[in-house]
Amino acid sequence: MLYLIGLGLADETDVTVKGLELIKKAERVYLEAYTSILLVDTKRLEAYYDRPIIVADREMVESSSDEILAEADTSDIAFLVVGDPFGATTHTDLVLRARALKIPVQSIHNASIMSAVGATGLQLYNFGQTVSMVFFTDTWKPASFYDRLKENHQIGLHSLILLDIKVKEQSLANLARGRKVYEPPRYMTVAQCASQMLETEEGKGEGICGAQALAVGVARLGATDQKMVAGTLKQLSEIDLGPPLHSLVLLGGRTHYLERDYIREFAIDVAIFDTVWREFYAGES
């Protein structure tokens, strides 16, 4: 059996009882480590699970899946995913390869950012499409996310924005020369995301994510030191929420007054929040 096991959001103790039992009896245990991270290192996981863990980077999962699936038809293999196996990032490709090899698959679900974002007080059924924000470069500033935000905006829905992480990435120079030299890990912050949104708005000019748009910045959701702040994108572009992981929610025009009251409690500046709310949101609630 191939088990896809969700680990939850924060640390080694977030694993479910069912997931932990399966990890302890698996022949091999892999940790998918390129789409997200837990807030503790692999050694903490190994100590708690009492099992050695093989870190599976993007290259292994996408190009060497046969190595992961080897002998999974006669023994149990655990593939660990931060959050939920089919949450923000799905692993359907690995499942399809297992099916082709007649290997049975079972998923053990857990909390993901897609559900835990409800901790902001924003109602999950008021969310539209989830989008991803990648790191801009001097020569590459993709704006496809803007169209998704616009579609959500047009029907008044919130937009959850998942922020880029760079783990075991090669520079263009090293990639071109075939050198296995990797850049230090990078994790996008709420401030960087908000800044890129404002930069894109300057070019688009359609009022989807301008300086006065209200948003909620989230850091380390599910951890004991999680942090949430509400404010304008201009305010969030200057905020420091500390270590990763970060996410951002752009408020929709149909934000309910109960949602407003909830997020108002962690507004960066209540007076500014109330002013922007009255001017741009109150009439649409």
Side-chain angles (χ1 to χ4, degrees):
M1 180 79 75
L2 172 67
Y3 291 100
L4 275 66
I5 301 175
L7 297 184
L9 294 170
D11 60 36
E12 71 276 16
T13 65
D14 283 347
V15 68
T16 64
V17 173
K18 181 185 292 185
L20 182 58
E21 290 176 348
L22 293 171
I23 291 170
K24 286 182 175 293
K25 75 181 186 70
E27 185 72 21
R28 295 192 309 279
V29 180
Y30 293 90
L31 172 63
E32 189 266 87
Y34 66 90
T35 60
S36 189
I37 59 165
L38 284 180
L39 305 182
V40 295
D41 62 26
T42 305
K43 291 182 179 179
R44 285 263 300 263
L45 298 184
E46 291 180 325
Y48 189 76
Y49 302 155
D50 194 26
R51 299 287 284 105
I53 291 176
I54 304 166
V55 176
D57 58 19
R58 184 187 299 272
E59 183 178 357
M60 175 181 285
V61 177
E62 295 182 350
S63 304
S64 304
S65 62
D66 290 346
E67 180 180 336
I68 297 173
L69 297 175
E71 302 175 359
D73 55 339
T74 57
S75 59
D76 292 330
I77 307 299
F79 186 78
L80 312 183
V81 181
V82 176
D84 185 90
F86 299 99
T89 301
T90 63
H91 290 282
T92 51
D93 186 58
L94 185 63
V95 173
L96 290 173
R97 295 183 195 188
R99 286 180 182 173
L101 296 171
K102 308 301 182 183
I103 296 169
V105 179
Q106 182 177 342
S107 299
I108 312 301
H109 298 285
N110 208 323
S112 106
I113 184 64
M114 304 290 285
S115 57
V117 71
T120 59
L122 300 174
Q123 298 163 4
L124 292 179
Y125 50 77
N126 282 341
F127 278 77
Q129 302 169 86
T130 298
V131 302
S132 297
M133 178 69 74
V134 301
F135 282 108
F136 285 1
T137 70
D138 292 339
T139 57
W140 187 60
K141 299 181 180 182
S144 57
F145 73 91
Y146 192 91
D147 295 331
R148 305 289 80 76
L149 296 183
K150 181 178 179 180
E151 290 168 358
N152 290 344
H153 175 83
Q154 289 172 337
I155 52 179
L157 298 180
H158 310 313
S159 299
L160 171 61
I161 304 172
L162 305 178
L163 310 191
D164 200 5
I165 72 172
K166 297 291 187 185
V167 179
K168 203 176 181 182
E169 297 277 343
Q170 294 172 271
S171 68
L172 291 177
N174 285 325
L175 189 63
R177 291 173 172 80
R179 296 186 300 204
K180 297 291 185 178
V181 178
Y182 301 101
E183 300 293 296
R186 289 192 296 150
Y187 306 97
M188 183 180 289
T189 65
V190 162
Q192 289 171 314
C193 177
S195 295
Q196 291 187 179
M197 293 170 71
L198 293 174
E199 182 179 349
T200 303
E201 181 61 50
E202 287 182 8
K204 295 285 188 176
E206 298 182 48
I208 304 303
C209 50
Q212 296 303 305
L214 288 177
V216 178
V218 179
R220 300 171 302 283
L221 188 58
T224 55
D225 66 340
Q226 72 176 23
K227 190 168 185 179
M228 293 181 281
V229 296
T232 66
L233 283 180
K234 174 61 176 174
Q235 289 175 312
L236 291 181
S237 71
E238 301 168 350
I239 198 76
D240 181 2
L241 295 183
L245 292 170
H246 292 191
S247 302
L248 186 146
V249 180
L250 184 66
L251 262 62
R254 285 166 41 189
T255 303
H256 193 272
Y257 71 91
L258 291 177
E259 297 176 290
R260 174 206 63 195
D261 291 348
Y262 197 99
I263 64 174
R264 186 178 182 272
E265 291 299 311
F266 42 85
I268 297 170
D269 185 311
V270 172
I272 292 176
F273 180 92
D274 288 344
T275 298
V276 174
W277 176 271
R278 286 193 299 269
E279 185 171 354
F280 296 105
Y281 292 83
E284 301 183 53
S285 300

